[in-house]
Coordinates of all heavy atoms in Angstrom, one line a residue:
M954 N 0.9 -1.2 0.0 CA 0.0 0.0 0.0 C 0.8 1.2 0.0 O 0.4 2.3 -0.4 CB -0.9 -0.1 1.2 CG -2.1 0.9 1.1 SD -3.0 0.4 -0.3 CE -4.4 1.5 -0.2
K955 N 2.1 1.1 0.3 CA 3.0 2.3 0.3 C 3.2 2.9 -1.1 O 3.3 4.0 -1.2 CB 4.4 1.9 0.9 CG 4.6 2.1 2.3 CD 6.0 1.9 2.7 CE 6.3 2.5 4.1 NZ 7.7 2.2 4.5
I956 N 3.2 2.0 -2.1 CA 3.5 2.5 -3.4 C 2.3 3.4 -3.8 O 2.4 4.4 -4.5 CB 3.7 1.3 -4.4 CG1 4.1 1.9 -5.8 CG2 2.5 0.5 -4.6 CD1 5.5 2.4 -5.9
A957 N 1.0 3.1 -3.4 CA -0.1 3.9 -3.8 C 0.0 5.3 -3.2 O -0.4 6.2 -3.8 CB -1.4 3.2 -3.3
K958 N 0.6 5.3 -2.0 CA 0.7 6.7 -1.3 C 1.8 7.5 -2.0 O 1.8 8.7 -1.9 CB 1.0 6.5 0.1 CG -0.2 6.0 0.9 CD 0.1 5.9 2.4 CE -1.2 5.3 3.0 NZ -1.0 5.3 4.5
S959 N 2.8 6.8 -2.6 CA 3.9 7.6 -3.2 C 3.6 8.1 -4.6 O 4.4 8.8 -5.2 CB 5.1 6.8 -3.2 OG 5.0 5.7 -4.1
L960 N 2.4 7.6 -5.2 CA 2.1 8.0 -6.5 C 1.5 9.4 -6.5 O 0.7 9.7 -5.6 CB 1.1 7.0 -7.1 CG 1.8 5.7 -7.5 CD1 0.7 4.7 -7.9 CD2 2.7 5.8 -8.6
P961 N 1.8 10.2 -7.5 CA 1.2 11.6 -7.5 C -0.3 11.6 -7.9 O -0.8 10.7 -8.5 CB 2.1 12.4 -8.6 CG 2.6 11.2 -9.4 CD 2.7 10.0 -8.6
R962 N -0.9 12.7 -7.5 CA -2.3 12.8 -7.9 C -2.5 12.8 -9.4 O -3.6 12.3 -9.9 CB -2.9 14.1 -7.4 CG -3.1 14.1 -5.9 CD -3.7 15.4 -5.5 NE -3.8 15.5 -4.0 CZ -3.9 16.5 -3.3 NH1 -4.1 17.7 -3.9 NH2 -4.0 16.5 -2.0
R963 N -1.6 13.2 -10.1 CA -1.6 13.3 -11.6 C -1.8 11.8 -12.1 O -2.6 11.5 -13.1 CB -0.4 13.9 -12.1 CG -0.3 13.9 -13.6 CD 1.0 14.6 -14.1 NE 2.1 14.1 -13.5 CZ 3.1 14.9 -12.8 NH1 2.9 16.2 -12.8 NH2 4.1 14.4 -12.3
F964 N -1.1 10.8 -11.5 CA -1.2 9.4 -11.9 C -2.7 9.0 -11.7 O -3.3 8.4 -12.6 CB -0.3 8.5 -11.0 CG -0.6 7.1 -11.2 CD1 -0.1 6.4 -12.3 CD2 -1.4 6.4 -10.3 CE1 -0.4 5.0 -12.5 CE2 -1.7 5.1 -10.4 CZ -1.1 4.3 -11.5
W965 N -3.3 9.3 -10.6 CA -4.7 8.9 -10.4 C -5.7 9.6 -11.3 O -6.6 8.9 -11.8 CB -5.0 9.1 -9.0 CG -4.2 8.3 -8.0 CD1 -3.3 8.7 -7.2 CD2 -4.2 6.8 -7.9 NE1 -2.6 7.6 -6.6 CE2 -3.2 6.4 -7.0 CE3 -4.9 5.8 -8.6 CZ2 -2.9 5.1 -6.7 CZ3 -4.7 4.5 -8.3 CH2 -3.7 4.1 -7.3
A966 N -5.4 10.8 -11.6 CA -6.3 11.5 -12.6 C -6.1 10.9 -14.0 O -7.2 10.7 -14.7 CB -5.9 13.0 -12.7
E967 N -5.0 10.5 -14.4 CA -4.8 9.8 -15.7 C -5.5 8.5 -15.7 O -6.1 8.1 -16.7 CB -3.3 9.7 -15.9 CG -2.6 11.0 -16.2 CD -1.1 10.9 -16.0 OE1 -0.6 9.9 -15.6 OE2 -0.4 11.9 -16.3
V968 N -5.4 7.7 -14.6 CA -6.1 6.4 -14.5 C -7.6 6.5 -14.6 O -8.2 5.9 -15.4 CB -5.6 5.7 -13.3 CG1 -6.5 4.4 -13.1 CG2 -4.1 5.2 -13.4
V969 N -8.1 7.5 -13.9 CA -9.6 7.8 -13.9 C -10.0 8.2 -15.3 O -11.0 7.7 -15.9 CB -10.0 8.8 -12.8 CG1 -11.4 9.3 -13.0 CG2 -9.8 8.2 -11.4
L970 N -9.3 9.2 -15.9 CA -9.7 9.6 -17.2 C -9.5 8.5 -18.3 O -10.4 8.4 -19.2 CB -8.8 10.8 -17.7 CG -9.3 12.1 -16.9 CD1 -8.2 13.2 -17.3 CD2 -10.6 12.5 -17.3
A971 N -8.4 7.7 -18.2 CA -8.3 6.6 -19.1 C -9.4 5.6 -19.0 O -9.9 5.1 -19.9 CB -6.9 5.9 -18.8
S972 N -9.8 5.3 -17.8 CA -10.9 4.3 -17.5 C -12.2 4.9 -18.1 O -13.0 4.2 -18.8 CB -11.1 4.1 -16.1 OG -9.9 3.5 -15.5
L973 N -12.5 6.2 -17.9 CA -13.7 6.8 -18.4 C -13.7 6.7 -20.0 O -14.7 6.5 -20.6 CB -13.8 8.3 -17.9 CG -15.0 9.0 -18.4 CD1 -16.3 8.5 -17.9 CD2 -14.9 10.5 -18.0
T974 N -12.6 7.2 -20.6 CA -12.5 7.1 -22.0 C -12.6 5.7 -22.6 O -13.2 5.5 -23.6 CB -11.3 7.8 -22.6 OG1 -10.1 7.1 -22.1 CG2 -11.3 9.3 -22.3
A975 N -12.1 4.7 -21.9 CA -12.3 3.3 -22.3 C -13.7 2.9 -22.3 O -14.2 2.2 -23.2 CB -11.3 2.4 -21.3
V976 N -14.4 3.2 -21.1 CA -15.8 2.8 -21.0 C -16.6 3.5 -22.2 O -17.4 2.9 -22.8 CB -16.4 3.2 -19.7 CG1 -17.9 3.1 -19.6 CG2 -15.8 2.3 -18.6
L977 N -16.4 4.8 -22.4 CA -17.1 5.5 -23.5 C -16.7 5.0 -24.8 O -17.6 4.9 -25.7 CB -16.9 7.0 -23.4 CG -17.5 7.7 -22.2 CD1 -17.0 9.1 -22.2 CD2 -18.9 7.6 -22.2
G978 N -15.5 4.6 -25.0 CA -15.0 4.0 -26.3 C -15.7 2.6 -26.6 O -15.9 2.3 -27.7
V979 N -16.0 1.9 -25.5 CA -16.6 0.6 -25.7 C -18.1 0.8 -25.9 O -18.8 0.1 -26.6 CB -16.3 -0.3 -24.5 CG1 -17.1 -1.6 -24.6 CG2 -14.8 -0.7 -24.5
I980 N -18.7 1.7 -25.2 CA -20.1 1.9 -25.2 C -20.6 2.5 -26.6 O -21.6 2.1 -27.1 CB -20.6 2.9 -24.1 CG1 -20.6 2.2 -22.7 CG2 -22.0 3.4 -24.3 CD1 -20.8 3.1 -21.6
T981 N -19.7 3.4 -27.2 CA -20.1 4.0 -28.4 C -20.4 3.1 -29.5 O -21.5 3.2 -30.2 CB -19.0 5.0 -28.8 OG1 -18.8 6.0 -27.8 CG2 -19.4 5.8 -30.1
P982 N -19.6 2.0 -29.8 CA -20.1 1.1 -30.9 C -21.3 0.2 -30.5 O -22.0 -0.2 -31.4 CB -18.9 0.2 -31.1 CG -17.7 0.9 -30.5 CD -18.2 1.8 -29.5
L983 N -21.4 0.0 -29.2 CA -22.5 -0.9 -28.8 C -23.9 -0.1 -28.7 O -24.9 -0.6 -29.0 CB -22.3 -1.4 -27.4 CG -21.1 -2.4 -27.2 CD1 -20.8 -2.7 -25.8 CD2 -21.3 -3.6 -28.1
W984 N -23.8 1.1 -28.4 CA -25.0 2.0 -28.3 C -24.6 3.4 -28.9 O -24.4 4.4 -28.3 CB -25.5 2.2 -26.9 CG -26.7 3.0 -26.8 CD1 -27.8 3.1 -27.6 CD2 -27.0 3.9 -25.7 NE1 -28.7 4.0 -27.1 CE2 -28.2 4.5 -25.9 CE3 -26.3 4.4 -24.5 CZ2 -28.8 5.4 -25.0 CZ3 -26.8 5.3 -23.6 CH2 -28.1 5.8 -23.9
P985 N -24.6 3.4 -30.3 CA -24.1 4.7 -30.9 C -24.9 5.9 -30.8 O -24.5 7.0 -31.0 CB -24.0 4.2 -32.4 CG -24.8 3.0 -32.5 CD -24.9 2.4 -31.2
D986 N -26.2 5.7 -30.4 CA -27.1 6.9 -30.2 C -27.0 7.6 -28.9 O -27.8 8.4 -28.6 CB -28.5 6.5 -30.5 CG -28.7 6.1 -32.0 OD1 -27.9 6.5 -32.8 OD2 -29.6 5.3 -32.3
W987 N -26.1 7.1 -28.0 CA -25.9 7.7 -26.7 C -25.6 9.2 -26.9 O -26.0 10.1 -26.0 CB -25.0 7.0 -25.8 CG -23.5 7.2 -26.1 CD1 -22.8 6.3 -26.8 CD2 -22.7 8.2 -25.5 NE1 -21.5 6.8 -26.8 CE2 -21.4 7.9 -26.1 CE3 -22.9 9.3 -24.7 CZ2 -20.3 8.7 -25.7 CZ3 -21.8 10.1 -24.4 CH2 -20.5 9.8 -25.0
I988 N -24.8 9.6 -27.9 CA -24.4 11.0 -28.0 C -25.6 11.8 -28.3 O -25.8 12.9 -27.7 CB -23.3 11.0 -29.1 CG1 -22.1 10.2 -28.7 CG2 -22.9 12.5 -29.4 CD1 -21.0 10.0 -29.7
E989 N -26.4 11.3 -29.2 CA -27.7 12.0 -29.6 C -28.6 12.1 -28.4 O -29.3 13.1 -28.2 CB -28.4 11.5 -30.8 CG -27.7 11.7 -32.1 CD -26.7 10.6 -32.5 OE1 -26.4 9.6 -31.6 OE2 -26.1 10.6 -33.5
A990 N -28.7 11.0 -27.7 CA -29.6 11.0 -26.5 C -29.3 12.0 -25.4 O -30.1 12.6 -24.9 CB -29.7 9.6 -25.9
I991 N -27.9 12.2 -25.2 CA -27.5 13.1 -24.2 C -27.5 14.5 -24.6 O -28.0 15.4 -24.0 CB -26.1 12.7 -23.6 CG1 -26.2 11.3 -22.9 CG2 -25.5 13.7 -22.7 CD1 -24.9 10.8 -22.4
S992 N -26.9 14.7 -25.8 CA -26.7 16.1 -26.3 C -27.7 16.7 -27.3 O -27.9 17.8 -27.5 CB -25.3 16.2 -26.9 OG -25.3 15.5 -28.1
G993 N -28.4 15.7 -28.0 CA -29.3 16.2 -29.0 C -28.6 16.5 -30.3 O -29.2 16.9 -31.3
W994 N -27.3 16.4 -30.3 CA -26.4 16.7 -31.5 C -26.4 15.5 -32.4 O -26.0 14.3 -32.0 CB -25.1 17.1 -31.0 CG -24.1 17.4 -32.1 CD1 -24.2 18.4 -33.0 CD2 -22.7 16.8 -32.2 NE1 -23.0 18.4 -33.8 CE2 -22.1 17.5 -33.3 CE3 -22.0 15.8 -31.6 CZ2 -20.9 17.2 -33.8 CZ3 -20.8 15.6 -32.0 CH2 -20.2 16.2 -33.1
D995 N -26.7 15.7 -33.7 CA -26.7 14.6 -34.6 C -26.2 15.0 -35.9 O -26.9 15.4 -36.9 CB -28.2 14.0 -34.9 CG -28.3 12.8 -35.8 OD1 -27.2 12.1 -35.9 OD2 -29.4 12.5 -36.2
P996 N -24.8 15.1 -36.0 CA -24.2 15.7 -37.2 C -24.2 14.8 -38.4 O -24.1 15.3 -39.5 CB -22.7 15.9 -36.7 CG -22.5 14.8 -35.7 CD -23.8 14.7 -35.0
D997 N -24.4 13.5 -38.2 CA -24.4 12.6 -39.4 C -25.7 12.0 -39.8 O -25.8 11.1 -40.6 CB -23.4 11.5 -39.2 CG -23.7 10.7 -38.0 OD1 -24.7 10.9 -37.3 OD2 -22.9 9.8 -37.6
Q998 N -26.9 12.5 -39.2 CA -28.2 12.0 -39.4 C -28.3 10.5 -39.3 O -28.8 9.9 -40.2 CB -28.8 12.6 -40.8 CG -29.1 14.0 -40.8 CD -27.9 15.0 -40.7 OE1 -26.8 14.7 -41.3 NE2 -28.0 16.1 -40.0
H999 N -27.8 10.0 -38.2 CA -27.9 8.5 -38.0 C -27.1 7.7 -38.9 O -27.4 6.5 -39.1 CB -29.4 8.1 -37.8 CG -30.1 8.7 -36.7 ND1 -29.8 8.4 -35.4 CD2 -31.1 9.6 -36.7 CE1 -30.7 9.1 -34.6 NE2 -31.4 9.8 -35.4
D1000 N -26.1 8.3 -39.5 CA -25.2 7.5 -40.4 C -24.3 6.6 -39.6 O -24.0 5.5 -40.1 CB -24.4 8.5 -41.3 CG -23.4 7.8 -42.2 OD1 -23.2 6.6 -42.2 OD2 -22.9 8.6 -43.0
G1001 N -23.8 7.1 -38.5 CA -22.9 6.3 -37.7 C -21.4 6.6 -37.9 O -20.6 6.1 -37.0
S1002 N -21.1 7.4 -38.8 CA -19.7 7.6 -39.1 C -19.0 8.5 -38.1 O -17.9 8.2 -37.6 CB -19.5 8.2 -40.5 OG -20.2 9.5 -40.6
V1003 N -19.8 9.5 -37.6 CA -19.2 10.3 -36.5 C -19.0 9.5 -35.3 O -18.0 9.6 -34.5 CB -20.1 11.6 -36.3 CG1 -19.7 12.3 -35.1 CG2 -20.1 12.5 -37.5
E1004 N -19.9 8.6 -34.9 CA -19.8 7.8 -33.7 C -18.5 6.9 -33.8 O -17.9 6.7 -32.8 CB -21.1 6.9 -33.5 CG -22.2 7.7 -33.0 CD -23.0 8.4 -34.1 OE1 -22.7 8.4 -35.2 OE2 -24.1 9.0 -33.8
W1005 N -18.3 6.4 -34.9 CA -17.1 5.5 -35.2 C -15.8 6.4 -35.0 O -14.8 5.9 -34.4 CB -17.1 4.8 -36.5 CG -17.9 3.6 -36.4 CD1 -19.2 3.4 -36.9 CD2 -17.6 2.4 -35.7 NE1 -19.6 2.2 -36.6 CE2 -18.8 1.5 -35.8 CE3 -16.6 1.9 -34.9 CZ2 -18.8 0.2 -35.3 CZ3 -16.6 0.7 -34.4 CH2 -17.7 -0.2 -34.5
M1006 N -15.8 7.6 -35.5 CA -14.6 8.5 -35.3 C -14.5 8.8 -33.8 O -13.4 8.9 -33.4 CB -14.8 9.8 -36.1 CG -14.7 9.5 -37.6 SD -14.5 11.0 -38.6 CE -16.0 11.8 -38.3
I1007 N -15.6 9.1 -33.2 CA -15.5 9.4 -31.8 C -15.0 8.2 -31.0 O -14.1 8.3 -30.1 CB -16.9 9.8 -31.2 CG1 -17.2 11.2 -31.7 CG2 -16.9 9.8 -29.7 CD1 -18.6 11.7 -31.5
A1008 N -15.5 6.9 -31.3 CA -15.0 5.8 -30.6 C -13.5 5.5 -30.9 O -12.8 5.2 -29.9 CB -15.8 4.6 -31.2
C1009 N -13.0 5.8 -32.0 CA -11.6 5.6 -32.3 C -10.8 6.7 -31.6 O -9.8 6.3 -31.0 CB -11.4 5.8 -33.8 SG -11.9 4.4 -34.8
G1010 N -11.3 7.9 -31.5 CA -10.6 8.9 -30.8 C -10.6 8.7 -29.3 O -9.6 8.9 -28.6
L1011 N -11.7 8.1 -28.7 CA -11.7 7.7 -27.3 C -10.7 6.7 -27.0 O -10.1 6.7 -26.0 CB -13.1 7.4 -26.9 CG -14.1 8.5 -26.8 CD1 -15.5 8.0 -26.6 CD2 -13.8 9.4 -25.6
L1012 N -10.7 5.7 -27.9 CA -9.7 4.6 -27.7 C -8.3 5.0 -27.8 O -7.4 4.5 -27.1 CB -10.1 3.4 -28.6 CG -11.4 2.7 -28.3 CD1 -11.7 1.6 -29.3 CD2 -11.4 2.1 -26.8
L1013 N -8.0 5.9 -28.7 CA -6.7 6.5 -28.8 C -6.3 7.3 -27.5 O -5.2 7.2 -27.1 CB -6.5 7.4 -30.0 CG -6.4 6.7 -31.4 CD1 -6.5 7.6 -32.5 CD2 -5.1 5.8 -31.5
A1014 N -7.3 8.0 -27.0 CA -7.1 8.8 -25.8 C -6.8 7.8 -24.6 O -6.0 8.1 -23.8 CB -8.3 9.7 -25.5
T1015 N -7.5 6.7 -24.6 CA -7.3 5.7 -23.6 C -5.9 5.2 -23.6 O -5.3 5.1 -22.5 CB -8.3 4.6 -23.7 OG1 -9.7 5.0 -23.7 CG2 -8.1 3.5 -22.7
I1016 N -5.5 4.8 -24.8 CA -4.1 4.3 -24.9 C -3.0 5.3 -24.5 O -2.1 5.0 -23.7 CB -3.8 3.9 -26.4 CG1 -4.7 2.7 -26.7 CG2 -2.3 3.6 -26.6 CD1 -4.7 2.3 -28.1
A1017 N -3.2 6.6 -24.9 CA -2.3 7.6 -24.5 C -2.3 7.9 -23.0 O -1.2 8.0 -22.4 CB -2.7 8.9 -25.2
L1018 N -3.5 8.0 -22.4 CA -3.6 8.2 -20.9 C -3.0 7.0 -20.1 O -2.3 7.3 -19.2 CB -5.0 8.4 -20.5 CG -5.6 9.8 -21.0 CD1 -7.1 9.9 -20.9 CD2 -5.0 10.9 -20.1
F1019 N -3.3 5.8 -20.5 CA -2.7 4.7 -19.8 C -1.2 4.7 -20.0 O -0.5 4.2 -19.1 CB -3.3 3.4 -20.3 CG -4.5 3.0 -19.5 CD1 -5.7 2.6 -20.1 CD2 -4.6 3.1 -18.1 CE1 -6.8 2.3 -19.4 CE2 -5.7 2.8 -17.4 CZ -6.9 2.3 -18.0
S1020 N -0.7 5.1 -21.1 CA 0.8 5.1 -21.4 C 1.4 6.2 -20.5 O 2.5 5.9 -19.8 CB 1.1 5.4 -22.8 OG 0.6 4.4 -23.7
V1021 N 0.8 7.3 -20.4 CA 1.4 8.3 -19.4 C 1.3 7.9 -18.0 O 2.2 8.1 -17.2 CB 0.6 9.7 -19.7 CG1 1.0 10.7 -18.7 CG2 0.8 10.2 -21.1
A1022 N 0.2 7.3 -17.6 CA 0.1 6.7 -16.3 C 1.2 5.7 -16.0 O 1.7 5.6 -14.9 CB -1.3 6.1 -16.1
A1023 N 1.4 4.8 -17.0 CA 2.4 3.8 -16.8 C 3.8 4.5 -16.6 O 4.7 4.0 -15.8 CB 2.4 2.9 -18.0
F1024 N 4.1 5.5 -17.4 CA 5.3 6.3 -17.2 C 5.4 6.9 -15.7 O 6.4 6.7 -15.1 CB 5.4 7.4 -18.2 CG 6.6 8.3 -18.0 CD1 7.8 7.9 -18.4 CD2 6.5 9.6 -17.5 CE1 9.0 8.7 -18.2 CE2 7.5 10.4 -17.3 CZ 8.8 9.9 -17.6
E1025 N 4.3 7.4 -15.2 CA 4.3 7.9 -13.9 C 4.5 6.8 -12.9 O 5.1 6.9 -11.9 CB 2.9 8.6 -13.6 CG 2.7 9.9 -14.3 CD 3.6 11.0 -13.8 OE1 4.0 11.0 -12.7 OE2 3.9 11.8 -14.6
W1026 N 3.9 5.6 -13.1 CA 4.1 4.4 -12.2 C 5.5 4.0 -12.2 O 6.1 3.8 -11.1 CB 3.2 3.3 -12.8 CG 3.4 2.0 -12.0 CD1 4.3 1.0 -12.2 CD2 2.6 1.6 -10.9 NE1 4.1 0.0 -11.3 CE2 3.0 0.3 -10.5 CE3 1.5 2.2 -10.2 CZ2 2.5 -0.4 -9.5 CZ3 0.9 1.5 -9.2 CH2 1.4 0.2 -8.8
R1027 N 6.2 4.0 -13.3 CA 7.6 3.6 -13.3 C 8.5 4.7 -12.7 O 9.5 4.4 -12.1 CB 8.1 3.3 -14.8 CG 7.6 2.0 -15.4 CD 8.2 1.7 -16.7 NE 8.0 2.7 -17.7 CZ 7.0 2.7 -18.5 NH1 6.1 1.8 -18.5 NH2 6.9 3.7 -19.4
R1028 N 8.1 5.9 -12.7 CA 8.8 7.0 -12.2 C 8.7 7.1 -10.7 O 9.6 7.7 -10.1 CB 8.4 8.3 -12.9 CG 9.5 9.3 -13.0 CD 9.1 10.5 -13.8 NE 8.4 11.4 -12.9 CZ 7.8 12.5 -13.1 NH1 8.0 13.0 -14.3 NH2 7.3 13.3 -12.2
A1029 N 7.6 6.6 -10.2 CA 7.4 6.8 -8.7 C 8.4 6.0 -7.9 O 8.9 4.9 -8.4 CB 6.0 6.3 -8.4
P1030 N 8.8 6.4 -6.8 CA 9.7 5.6 -6.0 C 9.1 4.3 -5.5 O 7.9 4.2 -5.2 CB 10.0 6.5 -4.7 CG 8.9 7.5 -4.7 CD 8.4 7.6 -6.2
S1031 N 9.9 3.3 -5.5 CA 9.3 2.0 -5.1 C 9.1 1.9 -3.7 O 9.7 2.6 -2.9 CB 10.3 0.8 -5.6 OG 11.5 0.9 -4.9
A1032 N 8.3 0.9 -3.2 CA 8.0 0.8 -1.8 C 9.3 0.3 -1.0 O 9.4 0.6 0.2 CB 6.9 -0.3 -1.7
A1033 N 10.1 -0.4 -1.7 CA 11.4 -0.8 -1.1 C 12.3 0.3 -0.7 O 13.0 0.3 0.3 CB 12.1 -1.9 -2.0
T1034 N 12.3 1.4 -1.5 CA 13.2 2.5 -1.3 C 12.5 3.6 -0.5 O 13.2 4.5 0.0 CB 13.7 3.1 -2.6 OG1 12.6 3.6 -3.3 CG2 14.5 2.1 -3.4
A1035 N 11.2 3.6 -0.3 CA 10.5 4.6 0.4 C 10.5 4.4 1.9 O 10.8 3.4 2.5 CB 9.0 4.6 0.0

């Protein structure tokens, strides 16, 4: 549990944001109309192309955020040296 205390808040923010983008990235192909249901915005008139672009963008953001979080994890002092 010592390692969790030595990790910066930035790490936890990255993990939470990565998890959120992962969930939204998975939900979007399964329920593509969630964007229209929440915002009322329908740029492609139910074509689905914008939803696929959003899903791809969310999954790319997930990969980027988890990569940055992994960098923070490796940079944090280990429990053995703390």
Side-chain angles (χ1 to χ4, degrees):
M954 196 62 174
K955 264 187 170 179
I956 188 77
K958 290 183 180 183
S959 67
L960 291 169
R962 288 183 185 164
R963 180 177 48 232
F964 168 81
W965 297 110
E967 291 160 354
V968 169
V969 168
L970 286 174
S972 300
L973 178 65
T974 58
V976 168
L977 291 176
V979 170
I980 286 174
T981 302
L983 298 175
W984 182 36
D986 293 334
W987 73 267
I988 298 167
E989 287 92 355
I991 291 176
S992 68
W994 181 54
D995 188 16
D997 58 5
Q998 285 70 37
H999 296 290
D1000 178 353
S1002 58
V1003 172
E1004 285 84 356
W1005 279 106
M1006 288 190 303
I1007 290 172
C1009 289
L1011 287 167
L1012 293 177
L1013 286 173
T1015 300
I1016 292 168
L1018 286 165
F1019 273 133
S1020 297
V1021 173
F1024 176 75
E1025 292 290 333
W1026 176 271
R1027 286 189 300 269
R1028 211 175 84 176
S1031 69
T1034 61

